[in-house]
Amino acid sequence: MKQLSFDRLEDHEEIARRSFENAYDLLVGKTTFDELSQQDEFYLPKDWEDPEVLLRYYEEEEDYEKCNEIISKQ
């Protein structure tokens, strides 16, 4: 797995994408903290436990399938 760094501007978008994927997977039950902790590193967005934060992100990404899943978990 490629090591990402906040020092490299090109990695910021990838870090954000991964952090929201992790938060989404936790919300819908596709992963657990134990599973995430077994990775070399993992990220979560600020306020990741708030479904509205995830919903706004996936609306911006136009990933409406994930939006529907988030809404169904509320």
Side-chain angles (χ1 to χ4, degrees):
M1 174 184 278
K2 175 186 169 195
Q3 288 293 113
L4 299 173
S5 170
F6 283 106
D7 296 331
R8 293 191 305 257
L9 184 59
E10 63 272 10
D11 287 346
H12 283 226
E13 191 172 300
E14 178 65 14
I15 290 169
R17 185 189 65 74
R18 285 186 188 185
S19 70
F20 280 98
E21 281 182 11
N22 288 336
Y24 172 81
D25 288 346
L26 283 168
L27 177 72
V28 300
K30 289 184 179 181
T31 194
T32 65
F33 274 107
D34 287 338
E35 291 168 339
L36 286 176
S37 69
Q38 292 176 14
Q39 300 175 14
D40 290 337
E41 59 185 10
F42 73 90
Y43 305 96
L44 290 169
K46 183 178 179 180
D47 299 329
W48 66 271
E49 292 176 300
D50 182 355
E52 290 298 317
V53 171
L54 296 177
L55 189 57
R56 285 193 305 269
Y57 174 79
Y58 285 110
E59 283 175 343
E60 181 75 23
E61 294 295 310
E62 298 181 0
D63 190 337
Y64 301 118
E65 185 175 317
K66 285 185 177 163
C67 291
N68 286 334
E69 186 72 23
I70 293 165
I71 291 168
S72 73
K73 295 293 181 181
Q74 292 185 8

